Amino acid sequence: MSEIEDKRHEIAELIALELGFGDLDAASAADRAVIERQTDETIAGCAADSQEPADCTEANIRLRGLLHQYRALQILRDDQVLRSDEADARLAEEGEVFSREDDA
């Protein structure tokens, strides 16, 4: 798992406990679907730039910390993708012909 996937898993584990499902890995498929949906909603709703922000002030300190760490990882990943895209665009403008297969 990537670092961001690991952080999301930690958030889901905490949400599973808060919802009363207990251990995330032992949850049934139906319970897991509920937990995953709530995890997605929590991550999206507690983001600083959310179009429909949730009131996350009631979230416990651990969850708020995990959400903050997750958001930082998202920003880092997005920044890396943007820099890669900008580098690709610069090479294309310079007439450099390349493909991902050329990286080998």
Side-chain angles (χ1 to χ4, degrees), residues 19-85:
L19 293 176
F21 290 106
D23 183 26
L24 176 64
D25 296 326
S28 69
D31 291 347
R32 182 73 184 234
V34 170
I35 295 164
E36 293 298 327
R37 186 172 46 254
Q38 183 61 48
T39 299
D40 290 341
E41 289 174 7
T42 300
I43 289 170
C46 291
D49 60 350
S50 176
Q51 292 180 346
E52 296 179 28
D55 180 11
C56 298
T57 57
E58 295 298 316
N60 70 39
I61 292 170
R62 174 135 171 78
L63 180 57
R64 284 192 307 233
L66 289 172
L67 289 166
H68 178 74
Q69 293 167 10
Y70 183 86
R71 183 65 182 142
L73 289 170
Q74 278 184 318
I75 290 169
L76 179 63
R77 182 198 61 204
D78 292 348
D79 186 50
Q80 289 171 341
V81 168
L82 179 61
R83 282 189 300 205
S84 176
D85 289 349

